[in-house]
Short mmCIF file of all heavy atoms in Angstrom, two decimals:
data_model
loop_
_atom_site.label_atom_id
_atom_site.label_comp_id
_atom_site.label_asym_id
_atom_site.label_seq_id
_atom_site.Cartn_x
_atom_site.Cartn_y
_atom_site.Cartn_z
N GLU A 95 17.32 -139.06 5.94
CA GLU A 95 17.22 -138.92 7.41
C GLU A 95 17.02 -140.26 8.11
O GLU A 95 17.32 -140.42 9.28
CB GLU A 95 16.10 -137.93 7.78
CG GLU A 95 14.69 -138.47 7.71
CD GLU A 95 14.15 -138.48 6.29
OE1 GLU A 95 14.88 -138.10 5.35
OE2 GLU A 95 12.96 -138.82 6.13
N GLN A 96 16.49 -141.26 7.35
CA GLN A 96 16.27 -142.57 7.96
C GLN A 96 17.58 -143.22 8.32
O GLN A 96 17.66 -144.06 9.24
CB GLN A 96 15.49 -143.47 6.97
CG GLN A 96 14.13 -142.94 6.56
CD GLN A 96 13.18 -142.77 7.74
OE1 GLN A 96 13.23 -143.53 8.68
NE2 GLN A 96 12.31 -141.77 7.66
N ARG A 97 18.66 -142.85 7.64
CA ARG A 97 19.98 -143.40 7.96
C ARG A 97 20.72 -142.51 8.98
O ARG A 97 21.84 -142.84 9.37
CB ARG A 97 20.82 -143.49 6.68
CG ARG A 97 20.13 -144.24 5.55
CD ARG A 97 21.03 -144.41 4.38
NE ARG A 97 20.28 -144.81 3.19
CZ ARG A 97 20.79 -145.32 2.08
NH1 ARG A 97 22.09 -145.54 2.03
NH2 ARG A 97 20.04 -145.66 1.04
N LEU A 98 20.07 -141.43 9.37
CA LEU A 98 20.70 -140.50 10.31
C LEU A 98 20.00 -140.47 11.65
O LEU A 98 20.19 -139.52 12.44
CB LEU A 98 20.72 -139.09 9.70
CG LEU A 98 21.49 -138.92 8.38
CD1 LEU A 98 21.20 -137.57 7.74
CD2 LEU A 98 22.98 -139.08 8.63
N GLY A 99 19.14 -141.42 11.90
CA GLY A 99 18.44 -141.46 13.15
C GLY A 99 16.96 -141.17 13.06
O GLY A 99 16.23 -141.33 14.05
N GLY A 100 16.48 -140.70 11.90
CA GLY A 100 15.06 -140.52 11.70
C GLY A 100 14.57 -139.08 11.64
O GLY A 100 13.57 -138.78 10.99
N GLY A 101 15.25 -138.16 12.32
CA GLY A 101 14.80 -136.77 12.29
C GLY A 101 15.42 -136.00 11.15
O GLY A 101 16.56 -136.29 10.73
N LEU A 102 14.69 -135.03 10.62
CA LEU A 102 15.21 -134.24 9.50
C LEU A 102 16.42 -133.43 9.96
O LEU A 102 16.42 -132.84 11.06
CB LEU A 102 14.15 -133.29 8.98
CG LEU A 102 13.02 -133.87 8.14
CD1 LEU A 102 11.98 -132.81 7.83
CD2 LEU A 102 13.54 -134.47 6.84
N PRO A 103 17.46 -133.35 9.15
CA PRO A 103 18.60 -132.48 9.49
C PRO A 103 18.18 -131.03 9.45
O PRO A 103 17.18 -130.67 8.82
CB PRO A 103 19.64 -132.81 8.41
CG PRO A 103 18.82 -133.27 7.25
CD PRO A 103 17.64 -133.99 7.84
N THR A 104 18.93 -130.18 10.10
CA THR A 104 18.66 -128.75 10.11
C THR A 104 19.97 -128.01 9.82
O THR A 104 21.05 -128.57 9.84
CB THR A 104 18.10 -128.27 11.48
OG1 THR A 104 19.16 -128.35 12.45
CG2 THR A 104 16.92 -129.11 11.91
N ARG A 105 19.82 -126.72 9.56
CA ARG A 105 20.99 -125.89 9.25
C ARG A 105 21.97 -125.89 10.43
O ARG A 105 23.17 -125.73 10.21
CB ARG A 105 20.57 -124.46 8.91
CG ARG A 105 19.75 -123.77 9.97
CD ARG A 105 19.11 -122.50 9.41
NE ARG A 105 18.15 -121.91 10.32
CZ ARG A 105 18.36 -120.83 11.06
NH1 ARG A 105 19.53 -120.23 11.00
NH2 ARG A 105 17.43 -120.35 11.82
N ASP A 106 21.48 -126.08 11.64
CA ASP A 106 22.36 -126.10 12.82
C ASP A 106 23.42 -127.22 12.74
O ASP A 106 24.47 -127.12 13.32
CB ASP A 106 21.54 -126.26 14.10
CG ASP A 106 20.63 -125.08 14.37
OD1 ASP A 106 20.94 -123.98 13.86
OD2 ASP A 106 19.61 -125.25 15.05
N TRP A 107 23.08 -128.29 12.02
CA TRP A 107 24.01 -129.40 11.91
C TRP A 107 25.31 -129.00 11.20
O TRP A 107 26.38 -129.54 11.48
CB TRP A 107 23.39 -130.53 11.10
CG TRP A 107 22.30 -131.33 11.78
CD1 TRP A 107 21.48 -130.86 12.78
CD2 TRP A 107 21.93 -132.65 11.50
NE1 TRP A 107 20.59 -131.87 13.12
CE2 TRP A 107 20.84 -132.95 12.36
CE3 TRP A 107 22.35 -133.60 10.61
CZ2 TRP A 107 20.22 -134.21 12.35
CZ3 TRP A 107 21.75 -134.85 10.58
CH2 TRP A 107 20.70 -135.15 11.47
N ILE A 108 25.21 -128.05 10.27
CA ILE A 108 26.34 -127.78 9.38
C ILE A 108 26.82 -126.34 9.40
O ILE A 108 27.86 -126.02 8.79
CB ILE A 108 26.00 -128.19 7.93
CG1 ILE A 108 24.73 -127.47 7.47
CG2 ILE A 108 25.86 -129.69 7.82
CD1 ILE A 108 24.35 -127.77 6.00
N ASP A 109 26.12 -125.45 10.07
CA ASP A 109 26.52 -124.04 10.07
C ASP A 109 27.93 -123.81 10.57
O ASP A 109 28.71 -123.02 10.01
CB ASP A 109 25.53 -123.20 10.92
CG ASP A 109 24.29 -122.78 10.15
OD1 ASP A 109 24.30 -122.93 8.90
OD2 ASP A 109 23.33 -122.30 10.77
N ALA A 110 28.32 -124.52 11.63
CA ALA A 110 29.63 -124.27 12.22
C ALA A 110 30.77 -124.61 11.30
O ALA A 110 31.84 -124.01 11.36
CB ALA A 110 29.77 -125.08 13.53
N VAL A 111 30.54 -125.59 10.39
CA VAL A 111 31.63 -126.00 9.46
C VAL A 111 31.51 -125.37 8.09
O VAL A 111 32.36 -125.59 7.22
CB VAL A 111 31.66 -127.55 9.30
CG1 VAL A 111 31.97 -128.20 10.67
CG2 VAL A 111 30.35 -128.09 8.75
N THR A 112 30.49 -124.54 7.89
CA THR A 112 30.30 -123.88 6.58
C THR A 112 29.94 -122.41 6.74
O THR A 112 28.99 -121.93 6.13
CB THR A 112 29.21 -124.59 5.75
OG1 THR A 112 27.98 -124.58 6.52
CG2 THR A 112 29.59 -126.02 5.41
N PRO A 113 30.70 -121.66 7.52
CA PRO A 113 30.30 -120.25 7.72
C PRO A 113 30.39 -119.42 6.46
O PRO A 113 29.66 -118.43 6.31
CB PRO A 113 31.29 -119.77 8.80
CG PRO A 113 32.50 -120.66 8.62
CD PRO A 113 31.92 -122.00 8.27
N ASP A 114 31.29 -119.79 5.55
CA ASP A 114 31.51 -119.03 4.32
C ASP A 114 31.21 -119.80 3.04
O ASP A 114 31.53 -119.37 1.95
CB ASP A 114 32.96 -118.52 4.29
CG ASP A 114 33.33 -117.72 5.50
OD1 ASP A 114 32.56 -116.80 5.85
OD2 ASP A 114 34.38 -118.02 6.13
N THR A 115 30.63 -120.98 3.20
CA THR A 115 30.33 -121.86 2.04
C THR A 115 28.87 -122.16 2.02
O THR A 115 28.32 -122.80 2.94
CB THR A 115 31.14 -123.16 2.14
OG1 THR A 115 32.54 -122.87 2.10
CG2 THR A 115 30.79 -124.09 0.99
N PRO A 116 28.14 -121.72 0.99
CA PRO A 116 26.70 -122.02 0.92
C PRO A 116 26.46 -123.48 0.62
O PRO A 116 27.17 -124.12 -0.18
CB PRO A 116 26.20 -121.12 -0.23
CG PRO A 116 27.42 -120.86 -1.06
CD PRO A 116 28.61 -120.88 -0.15
N VAL A 117 25.42 -124.05 1.22
CA VAL A 117 25.10 -125.45 1.08
C VAL A 117 23.63 -125.59 0.71
O VAL A 117 22.76 -124.97 1.32
CB VAL A 117 25.35 -126.23 2.38
CG1 VAL A 117 24.94 -127.71 2.23
CG2 VAL A 117 26.82 -126.11 2.82
N ALA A 118 23.34 -126.43 -0.31
CA ALA A 118 21.98 -126.78 -0.67
C ALA A 118 22.02 -128.22 -1.16
O ALA A 118 22.19 -128.48 -2.37
CB ALA A 118 21.44 -125.85 -1.76
N VAL A 119 21.88 -129.16 -0.25
CA VAL A 119 22.02 -130.58 -0.58
C VAL A 119 20.66 -131.25 -0.53
O VAL A 119 19.89 -131.10 0.44
CB VAL A 119 23.00 -131.29 0.36
CG1 VAL A 119 24.43 -130.83 0.05
CG2 VAL A 119 22.72 -131.01 1.83
N PRO A 120 20.28 -132.02 -1.55
CA PRO A 120 18.96 -132.61 -1.64
C PRO A 120 18.79 -133.90 -0.86
O PRO A 120 19.75 -134.66 -0.67
CB PRO A 120 18.80 -132.88 -3.14
CG PRO A 120 20.18 -133.17 -3.60
CD PRO A 120 21.08 -132.27 -2.78
N ARG A 121 17.58 -134.11 -0.39
CA ARG A 121 17.23 -135.45 0.15
C ARG A 121 17.28 -136.45 -1.03
O ARG A 121 17.23 -136.07 -2.20
CB ARG A 121 15.83 -135.42 0.73
CG ARG A 121 15.46 -136.70 1.50
CD ARG A 121 14.03 -136.67 2.00
NE ARG A 121 13.75 -137.88 2.80
CZ ARG A 121 13.38 -139.05 2.29
NH1 ARG A 121 13.24 -139.18 0.98
NH2 ARG A 121 13.17 -140.08 3.09
N THR A 122 17.40 -137.71 -0.68
CA THR A 122 17.60 -138.73 -1.70
C THR A 122 16.45 -138.79 -2.70
O THR A 122 16.62 -139.25 -3.84
CB THR A 122 17.80 -140.12 -1.06
OG1 THR A 122 18.09 -141.07 -2.08
CG2 THR A 122 16.58 -140.55 -0.29
N ASP A 123 15.24 -138.32 -2.33
CA ASP A 123 14.12 -138.33 -3.30
C ASP A 123 14.06 -137.09 -4.15
O ASP A 123 13.18 -136.98 -5.01
CB ASP A 123 12.79 -138.51 -2.54
CG ASP A 123 12.49 -137.39 -1.57
OD1 ASP A 123 13.29 -136.43 -1.49
OD2 ASP A 123 11.46 -137.48 -0.86
N LEU A 124 14.97 -136.12 -3.93
CA LEU A 124 15.03 -134.87 -4.68
C LEU A 124 13.79 -133.99 -4.46
O LEU A 124 13.55 -133.09 -5.24
CB LEU A 124 15.24 -135.12 -6.17
CG LEU A 124 16.47 -135.94 -6.55
CD1 LEU A 124 16.61 -136.02 -8.08
CD2 LEU A 124 17.74 -135.35 -5.94
N HIS A 125 13.05 -134.25 -3.41
CA HIS A 125 11.86 -133.41 -3.14
C HIS A 125 12.04 -132.52 -1.93
O HIS A 125 11.16 -131.72 -1.61
CB HIS A 125 10.61 -134.29 -2.96
CG HIS A 125 10.11 -134.83 -4.27
ND1 HIS A 125 9.09 -134.22 -4.98
CD2 HIS A 125 10.49 -135.91 -4.99
CE1 HIS A 125 8.89 -134.92 -6.10
NE2 HIS A 125 9.71 -135.94 -6.11
N SER A 126 13.15 -132.66 -1.23
CA SER A 126 13.51 -131.78 -0.13
C SER A 126 14.98 -131.40 -0.26
O SER A 126 15.78 -132.20 -0.74
CB SER A 126 13.27 -132.45 1.24
OG SER A 126 11.91 -132.74 1.45
N THR A 127 15.31 -130.19 0.19
CA THR A 127 16.71 -129.72 0.15
C THR A 127 17.05 -129.09 1.47
O THR A 127 16.27 -128.36 2.06
CB THR A 127 16.89 -128.70 -1.00
OG1 THR A 127 16.57 -129.31 -2.24
CG2 THR A 127 18.33 -128.23 -1.04
N LEU A 128 18.27 -129.41 1.97
CA LEU A 128 18.76 -128.80 3.20
C LEU A 128 19.70 -127.65 2.86
O LEU A 128 20.67 -127.84 2.13
CB LEU A 128 19.53 -129.85 4.06
CG LEU A 128 20.30 -129.29 5.25
CD1 LEU A 128 19.33 -128.72 6.29
CD2 LEU A 128 21.20 -130.34 5.87
N LEU A 129 19.41 -126.48 3.45
CA LEU A 129 20.26 -125.30 3.26
C LEU A 129 20.94 -124.97 4.59
O LEU A 129 20.35 -125.18 5.66
CB LEU A 129 19.43 -124.09 2.82
CG LEU A 129 19.06 -123.95 1.36
CD1 LEU A 129 18.20 -125.12 0.86
CD2 LEU A 129 18.29 -122.65 1.15
N ASN A 130 22.13 -124.43 4.52
CA ASN A 130 22.72 -123.82 5.72
C ASN A 130 22.25 -122.37 5.83
O ASN A 130 21.52 -121.86 4.94
CB ASN A 130 24.24 -123.97 5.73
CG ASN A 130 24.93 -123.18 4.62
OD1 ASN A 130 24.27 -122.65 3.72
ND2 ASN A 130 26.23 -123.08 4.68
N THR A 131 22.64 -121.70 6.89
CA THR A 131 22.17 -120.34 7.13
C THR A 131 22.63 -119.39 6.02
O THR A 131 21.86 -118.51 5.58
CB THR A 131 22.66 -119.85 8.49
OG1 THR A 131 22.06 -120.64 9.51
CG2 THR A 131 22.29 -118.38 8.70
N LEU A 132 23.84 -119.56 5.52
CA LEU A 132 24.34 -118.70 4.46
C LEU A 132 23.49 -118.85 3.19
O LEU A 132 23.13 -117.85 2.56
CB LEU A 132 25.81 -119.01 4.14
CG LEU A 132 26.43 -118.23 3.01
CD1 LEU A 132 26.34 -116.71 3.27
CD2 LEU A 132 27.91 -118.64 2.81
#
């Protein structure tokens, strides 16, 4: 998130482009993961 402006990403960032594709992508430290709504 430090390279993305500082705020944590949210599912709203990616929901529109992944309505049928589940997403679970980790932060670079592998201690946080971002999920989309699916």
